[in-house]
Amino acid sequence: MRHTLLIAVISGSFLLSSQLASAAPLAEEYLQTGQLSEGATALQAHLKNSPQDDEARFGLGVVQFFQSFEHLGGTLYEYGLRTEDAFRGLPAPIRKMLAQKPNPKTISYADMRQMLQTWVDDLKAAEKTLSAIKDSNVQLPLHVGLIKVDLTGTGKPVDATFLLGQIDTPVEQEKVAAFIIDFDRGDADWLAGYCNFLSAWGEVLLAIDGQEIFNCTAHLFFEKVDTPYPFLLEGPRNFDSLRRFNRPLISDILAFIHLWRFELKEPERMKTALAHLEDMQRHAKSMWKYYLAETDNENEWIPNPQQTGVLEIKVTQEMVDTWLVVLDEAGEVLQGKKLIPFWRGKPGTQGVNLRRVFTEPRKIDPFLWAQGTAAAPYLENGTITDFANPEMWGRINRTFGRNNFFTLAFWFN
């Protein structure tokens, strides 16, 4: 009888272990080993055979998101991003991991644009995958502290436990290793929203003509540069030399600031950037629809008012209601239905139509925008956004705390 019971217990334990192993997300195997390319290929093949598997689709979107940074970091390393002094204050293992490539490729402006285009394409691929998720009950539990990313393309991926191992105690490393988040349908919208946000900035950078600022200042950031001014590559370029009054370096920094005015190379990209911002707002609204419908309470990334999140930050109904008002107001501004208050002239008479800034783009000059003259073509009479209303900011400050709103906004998306 004892032997029979023992065999039953062992068999049951083995069966349970097998079931748990098979239930583990397919993506996590590749995320924890840093094999993102292999993971993307395996997940895409799996979805061809099982197109209804939204957990695998969610995992693919996460893998593709991290791949975007692997590709960007690897390309920056290949072109000799000048990191020799940027991480001087960090522990030796991290400095070694982020070391500058000894004999990098020469970078041209065309190479820079292609690097940005690849990054945007990667982000779009991740957003497309995440947006295709239909299952409102999908879940993707991940040990986020064990996700490995190859930041330099050298075949040496690192995870959060490695980074914390250089600055924190072993106890904290153990906590990170055991840290699990059960990502759900709302989180798919959250990540898709961030893909759109980053894509929008990438499109703006590709819209402008940065050839001149590249020719004159790219040597500050890369070791070997294809520039019509080869003398810029001669002499010290180390920022530590500023302590000794390095006149050429100071003039380079002033040139970098002076050249912040850009003609448009591909103006249609500004409309694409606007579309990404609108999609970001749509995802931000959708994620809260799913969050508020949840009834479980399992390792939540962003909890609803009845849940406890893994970050142990309490989310109240008032915070949710206020945030949804903020999102609605942002949508009105992006659609051009409400105007940004103009900071010159008589207050309250005119506002800037932000939508037209993207749909009718002109030369971008931050200094003339600060002065106000660059905003003149977009001035209209109309309803000013509530973001200019002290009552709106009073509500935001009461709800989130005067110094916490933008931090929580980054988390909330």
Side-chain angles (χ1 to χ4, degrees), residues 274-275 277-278 280-281 324-343 351-359 369 378 380 382-389 392-393:
L274 174 62
L277 293 176
E278 290 176 320
M280 179 187 72
Q281 193 260 359
L324 292 177
V325 169
V326 169
L327 291 177
D328 286 338
E329 192 67 15
E332 296 277 287
V333 172
L334 289 174
Q335 292 166 27
K337 295 179 180 179
K338 291 190 177 181
L339 309 175
I340 297 173
F342 188 45
W343 46 98
V352 176
N353 187 324
L354 181 63
R355 184 176 189 83
R356 291 179 51 215
V357 174
F358 289 92
T359 59
W369 268 98
Y378 309 109
E380 297 178 2
T383 304
I384 301 297
T385 174
D386 287 345
F387 288 135
N389 191 330
M392 166 72 89
W393 283 103

Side-chain angles (χ1 to χ4, degrees), residues 213-270:
I213 195 172
F214 178 90
N215 289 342
C216 297
T217 66
H219 65 286
L220 293 173
F221 308 99
F222 295 94
E223 193 63 32
K224 297 180 181 179
V225 180
D226 182 4
T227 171
Y229 313 114
F231 57 83
L232 294 174
L233 302 173
E234 302 169 1
R237 287 181 279 162
N238 190 318
F239 281 92
D240 279 356
S241 61
L242 285 173
R243 300 172 184 173
R244 302 187 300 274
F245 187 76
N246 183 324
R247 186 189 60 77
L249 182 57
I250 292 174
S251 65
D252 287 340
I253 295 172
L254 292 175
F256 180 77
I257 298 171
H258 172 71
L259 291 171
W260 271 82
R261 58 184 193 278
F262 305 101
E263 299 291 344
L264 293 177
K265 185 179 182 70
E266 298 182 41
E268 286 299 309
R269 287 184 181 271
M270 294 295 289

Side-chain angles (χ1 to χ4, degrees), residues 354-375:
L354 181 63
R355 184 176 189 83
R356 291 179 51 215
V357 174
F358 289 92
T359 59
E360 304 169 22
R362 297 174 177 234
K363 179 179 178 179
I364 298 175
D365 190 323
F367 297 102
L368 293 185
W369 268 98
Q371 183 206 24
T373 54

Side-chain angles (χ1 to χ4, degrees), residues 77 350 407:
Y77 179 77
Q350 287 186 312
T407 301

Side-chain angles (χ1 to χ4, degrees), residues 3 135 141 151 162 216-217 272 276 304 340 346 360 368 380 385 400 410:
H3 289 90
D135 183 2
L151 297 173
F162 167 81
C216 297
T217 66
T272 305
H276 281 300
N304 66 35
I340 297 173
K346 295 180 180 179
E360 304 169 22
L368 293 185
E380 297 178 2
T385 174
F400 294 98
F410 179 79

